[in-house]
Amino acid sequence: MGFCRHFFVESCWRQFRLEWISTSVRILEPSPVAGNSPDEHPESPVKLLHDTHQDITVEIGEQAPNRFAPAANSLVYLVQIYPPGPSLGTRYALTGSPAVLGREPECDICLADPSVSRRHALFQPEGDGYWVIDLRSTNGTSVNKLRVSECRLHDGDDLRFGNCICRYLASSNVEARYHEEIYRLSVSDALTHVLNRRYLVQFLERELQRASRYHRSLGLVIFDIDDFKSINDRLGHLGGDYTLRELAACAENDLRKEGLIARFGGDEFAIVLPEANRDIAMKVAERIRLLIQNHSFNYEGLTYSITVSLGIAATNGSDAVPCERFLNEADAHLYEAKRLGRNRVVAHCASLDEEAVRGQRSGVSVESGESKAKG
């Protein structure tokens, strides 16, 4: 009799839990509200790439009260540890709300890998931790190499979703800081400490897809230092390195959350401006130009000033634009700014033909990071 009663209680609890979970899954897909744009719904972590650590904040509207949420001061992260590539070391924060992991950009945790299902798994808070629940994915969910349909997670567990492996970290331990440092190194430029080219390309590709999907504006500014060679000749390469660091810090502090800045290569930098049309991008570029022109650089007691030339590309989202073509358009306009005398912004150029935009003149390659010297 005791065994039967225990079995009955366990069955009722399991049924309640599964029903509550299924309700949560539906809540994670709110219907669009009249007057709201699709972008007001949560998207992938790339949407918050202005945060260097790429932590996500899960925002789920109109959900049922979460009686199983972890304590507010608990630290729970997923750190992607495989496969190698731009996403290696990416850290995703679980913030006490149910979170769906999958390939779709709308998922709270987006793993853009073809082996991951569109909606692969659910992270369900319970007590002071989480359960992972497989959402009937094609390639399954494994915890510590064991395939599971649902499993209570513990600090240090390795979770596999298709070809992607994430480590579950439930405390601010040494391993969490280690993975954080790995990620920081993988996305930052070692000299200037702004984001690097690889991260820029990944971010820009996703923003272009988003702009095309939702018909939103997107602006890009590429700029470099006028006659940077003379600075290296006069101050030496250490002085040139100081100039690059100071310029990057100056531009980054001015932009704040307005856009993303990354080192594009050499003395060239790029700024991605979500929701910015060509006019807005021109205003931002002109502001950056004046800011740098009026900034006093001081290296080993020598005060000097520099100027920059800037090229702009923009889209209103009406057509899908390849990332390399978008970069080449901005770089071609930068080339034109140099030709016209430097220290200026160029957003339109009637003389630029199709070959220039396609990269025959600028020579930009998304993969190589090399570009034709502009001076």
Side-chain angles (χ1 to χ4, degrees):
M1 176 68 73
F3 172 78
C4 294
R5 183 183 299 111
H6 175 75
F7 179 79
F8 175 78
V9 171
E10 286 293 317
S11 299
C12 290
W13 163 245
R14 181 179 178 86
Q15 181 64 26
F16 164 77
R17 187 168 173 274
L18 289 175
E19 289 177 357
W20 192 88
I21 288 169
S22 65
T23 303
S24 300
V25 173
R26 287 194 295 271
I27 291 169
L28 286 169
E29 297 182 309
S31 301
V33 179
N36 289 350
S37 68
D39 289 349
E40 292 175 4
H41 300 309
E43 292 192 20
S44 68
V46 173
K47 188 175 185 179
L48 299 179
L49 282 181
H50 308 299
D51 177 354
T52 303
H53 301 299
Q54 216 178 359
D55 293 344
I56 65 169
T57 301
V58 181
E59 298 176 353
I60 303 174
E62 300 180 2
Q63 70 177 59
N66 188 357
R67 67 191 79 181
F68 305 117
N73 60 353
S74 64
L75 296 176
V76 183
Y77 296 104
L78 287 179
V79 178
Q80 188 167 343
I81 61 175
Y82 188 85
S87 297
L88 179 67
T90 302
R91 191 180 67 174
Y92 307 92
L94 298 173
T95 59
S97 299
V100 170
L101 178 148
R103 191 175 74 245
E104 287 186 341
E106 291 79 9
C107 290
D108 304 295
I109 301 173
C110 178
L111 301 181
D113 189 290
S115 66
V116 177
S117 295
R118 296 180 184 277
R119 294 171 60 84
H120 196 109
L122 170 71
F123 289 89
Q124 178 61 52
E126 182 172 322
D128 59 352
Y130 279 82
W131 285 72
V132 62
I133 301 160
D134 186 77
L135 299 178
R136 298 181 180 179
S137 62
T138 301
N139 294 315
T141 299
S142 298
V143 177
N144 298 326
K145 299 183 180 181
L146 297 176
R147 187 155 178 167
V148 299
S149 57
E150 62 177 42
C151 182
R152 172 80 177 192
L153 298 176
H154 301 89
D155 186 36
D157 282 347
D158 286 342
L159 293 81
R160 186 169 196 129
F161 311 98
N163 192 46
C164 298
I165 301 176
C166 296
R167 183 158 295 164
Y168 177 83
L169 301 177
S171 61
S172 55
N173 53 28
V174 175
E175 189 175 18
R177 292 193 292 272
Y178 170 72
H179 283 292
E180 181 177 349
E181 183 65 13
I182 288 178
Y183 177 67
R184 187 188 68 80
L185 293 173
S186 71
V187 301
S188 299
D189 176 64
L191 175 63
T192 62
H193 304 300
V194 297
L195 295 168
N196 60 22
R197 182 189 181 98
R198 182 176 66 177
Y199 191 96
L200 165 73
V201 171
Q202 182 186 32
F203 178 77
L204 183 58
E205 285 176 343
R206 296 196 181 190
E207 283 298 311
L208 283 168
Q209 291 174 5
R210 175 177 170 271
S212 175
R213 181 175 183 178
Y214 297 120
H215 302 289
R216 312 293 291 191
S217 297
L218 178 67
L220 172 68
V221 180
I222 294 182
F223 67 94
D224 70 3
I225 300 173
D226 294 328
D227 198 15
F228 183 59
K229 182 178 181 300
S230 67
I231 296 175
N232 279 328
D233 292 343
R234 183 157 44 107
L235 303 178
H237 288 289
L238 291 181
D241 290 348
Y242 160 78
T243 303
L244 292 174
R245 285 195 301 269
E246 186 73 5
L247 180 150
C250 185
E252 185 177 35
N253 290 337
D254 180 77
L255 286 168
R256 297 192 183 104
K257 295 183 179 181
E258 190 174 2
L260 176 145
I261 182 170
R263 188 181 180 190
F264 196 49
D267 63 323
E268 202 167 50
F269 295 83
I271 300 171
V272 183
L273 299 168
E275 306 292 335
N277 58 26
R278 194 175 297 270
D279 290 340
I280 294 175
M282 286 184 64
K283 290 179 181 178
V284 173
E286 180 63 17
R287 191 180 75 219
I288 293 294
R289 186 190 70 80
L290 291 173
L291 177 71
I292 294 173
Q293 176 182 277
N294 297 327
H295 184 77
S296 294
F297 291 77
N298 191 301
Y299 178 71
E300 294 187 345
L302 176 64
T303 300
Y304 60 99
S305 60
I306 64 173
T307 61
V308 294
S309 299
L310 308 94
I312 289 173
T315 177
N316 59 12
S318 58
D319 297 311
V321 181
C323 181
E324 187 166 351
R325 180 183 175 88
F326 203 57
L327 288 166
N328 282 328
E329 180 183 342
D331 198 71
H333 287 147
L334 170 57
Y335 185 98
E336 184 68 8
K338 296 290 188 183
R339 190 186 69 81
L340 293 174
R342 304 172 182 170
N343 190 24
R344 65 191 66 225
V345 178
V346 172
H348 302 276
C349 183
S351 65
L352 291 179
D353 58 17
E354 187 69 14
E355 288 186 346
V357 173
R358 288 185 180 277
Q360 299 300 318
R361 177 181 293 179
S362 61
V364 173
S365 168
V366 169
E367 297 297 331
S368 68
E370 300 295 331
S371 61
K372 184 175 178 179
K374 302 176 185 66

mmCIF file of all heavy atoms in Angstrom, residues 4 16 37 101 118 171 174 216 263 265 275:
data_model
loop_
_atom_site.group_PDB
_atom_site.id
_atom_site.type_symbol
_atom_site.label_atom_id
_atom_site.label_comp_id
_atom_site.label_asym_id
_atom_site.label_seq_id
_atom_site.Cartn_x
_atom_site.Cartn_y
_atom_site.Cartn_z
ATOM 1 N N CYS A 4 2.324 1.835 -3.423
ATOM 2 C CA CYS A 4 1.324 2.342 -4.369
ATOM 3 C C CYS A 4 1.076 3.828 -4.163
ATOM 4 O O CYS A 4 0.949 4.593 -5.104
ATOM 5 C CB CYS A 4 0.016 1.557 -4.249
ATOM 6 S SG CYS A 4 0.168 -0.163 -4.765
ATOM 7 N N PHE A 16 2.076 16.971 -13.387
ATOM 8 C CA PHE A 16 1.951 18.410 -13.160
ATOM 9 C C PHE A 16 3.160 19.147 -13.729
ATOM 10 O O PHE A 16 3.047 20.180 -14.394
ATOM 11 C CB PHE A 16 1.832 18.701 -11.665
ATOM 12 C CG PHE A 16 2.079 20.148 -11.305
ATOM 13 C CD1 PHE A 16 1.116 21.110 -11.531
ATOM 14 C CD2 PHE A 16 3.314 20.542 -10.773
ATOM 15 C CE1 PHE A 16 1.346 22.432 -11.218
ATOM 16 C CE2 PHE A 16 3.541 21.860 -10.457
ATOM 17 C CZ PHE A 16 2.572 22.802 -10.679
ATOM 18 N N SER A 37 6.876 45.895 -33.053
ATOM 19 C CA SER A 37 7.696 45.339 -34.126
ATOM 20 C C SER A 37 8.202 43.984 -33.706
ATOM 21 O O SER A 37 8.288 43.677 -32.519
ATOM 22 C CB SER A 37 8.876 46.270 -34.406
ATOM 23 O OG SER A 37 9.757 46.260 -33.314
ATOM 24 N N LEU A 101 16.865 26.638 -25.962
ATOM 25 C CA LEU A 101 18.091 26.592 -26.752
ATOM 26 C C LEU A 101 17.773 25.969 -28.096
ATOM 27 O O LEU A 101 17.073 24.954 -28.165
ATOM 28 C CB LEU A 101 19.166 25.796 -26.022
ATOM 29 C CG LEU A 101 20.516 25.590 -26.730
ATOM 30 C CD1 LEU A 101 21.639 25.526 -25.703
ATOM 31 C CD2 LEU A 101 20.530 24.327 -27.600
ATOM 32 N N ARG A 118 15.897 23.363 -34.525
ATOM 33 C CA ARG A 118 15.396 24.736 -34.431
ATOM 34 C C ARG A 118 15.041 25.095 -32.995
ATOM 35 O O ARG A 118 15.339 26.185 -32.516
ATOM 36 C CB ARG A 118 14.179 24.914 -35.335
ATOM 37 C CG ARG A 118 14.492 24.743 -36.816
ATOM 38 C CD ARG A 118 13.252 24.923 -37.677
ATOM 39 N NE ARG A 118 13.531 24.673 -39.077
ATOM 40 C CZ ARG A 118 14.051 25.567 -39.905
ATOM 41 N NH1 ARG A 118 14.327 26.781 -39.458
ATOM 42 N NH2 ARG A 118 14.287 25.259 -41.161
ATOM 43 N N SER A 171 28.348 28.308 -10.361
ATOM 44 C CA SER A 171 28.968 29.127 -9.325
ATOM 45 C C SER A 171 30.121 29.896 -9.946
ATOM 46 O O SER A 171 30.634 29.539 -11.009
ATOM 47 C CB SER A 171 29.469 28.269 -8.160
ATOM 48 O OG SER A 171 30.456 27.354 -8.610
ATOM 49 N N VAL A 174 36.738 28.993 -10.360
ATOM 50 C CA VAL A 174 37.916 29.278 -11.172
ATOM 51 C C VAL A 174 37.681 28.922 -12.631
ATOM 52 O O VAL A 174 38.110 29.635 -13.539
ATOM 53 C CB VAL A 174 39.131 28.496 -10.625
ATOM 54 C CG1 VAL A 174 40.337 28.677 -11.528
ATOM 55 C CG2 VAL A 174 39.453 28.946 -9.213
ATOM 56 N N ARG A 216 14.800 46.360 -41.648
ATOM 57 C CA ARG A 216 15.325 47.382 -40.742
ATOM 58 C C ARG A 216 16.594 47.979 -41.345
ATOM 59 O O ARG A 216 17.285 47.352 -42.141
ATOM 60 C CB ARG A 216 15.654 46.790 -39.370
ATOM 61 C CG ARG A 216 14.567 45.922 -38.776
ATOM 62 C CD ARG A 216 13.331 46.704 -38.432
ATOM 63 N NE ARG A 216 13.519 47.610 -37.324
ATOM 64 C CZ ARG A 216 12.540 48.247 -36.707
ATOM 65 N NH1 ARG A 216 11.285 48.070 -37.105
ATOM 66 N NH2 ARG A 216 12.786 49.061 -35.703
ATOM 67 N N ARG A 263 38.417 46.410 -34.504
ATOM 68 C CA ARG A 263 39.589 46.659 -35.332
ATOM 69 C C ARG A 263 39.484 45.782 -36.569
ATOM 70 O O ARG A 263 39.382 44.555 -36.474
ATOM 71 C CB ARG A 263 40.865 46.352 -34.557
ATOM 72 C CG ARG A 263 42.125 46.785 -35.307
ATOM 73 C CD ARG A 263 43.364 46.453 -34.521
ATOM 74 N NE ARG A 263 44.576 46.868 -35.229
ATOM 75 C CZ ARG A 263 45.800 46.518 -34.856
ATOM 76 N NH1 ARG A 263 45.966 45.748 -33.774
ATOM 77 N NH2 ARG A 263 46.841 46.920 -35.551
ATOM 78 N N GLY A 265 41.726 45.768 -39.132
ATOM 79 C CA GLY A 265 43.029 45.324 -39.603
ATOM 80 C C GLY A 265 43.967 46.499 -39.745
ATOM 81 O O GLY A 265 43.586 47.549 -40.263
ATOM 82 N N GLU A 275 19.973 49.749 -36.788
ATOM 83 C CA GLU A 275 18.846 50.689 -36.867
ATOM 84 C C GLU A 275 19.247 52.058 -37.408
ATOM 85 O O GLU A 275 18.492 53.020 -37.272
ATOM 86 C CB GLU A 275 18.174 50.865 -35.494
ATOM 87 C CG GLU A 275 17.741 49.572 -34.824
ATOM 88 C CD GLU A 275 16.601 48.893 -35.561
ATOM 89 O OE1 GLU A 275 15.854 49.591 -36.267
ATOM 90 O OE2 GLU A 275 16.468 47.672 -35.423
#
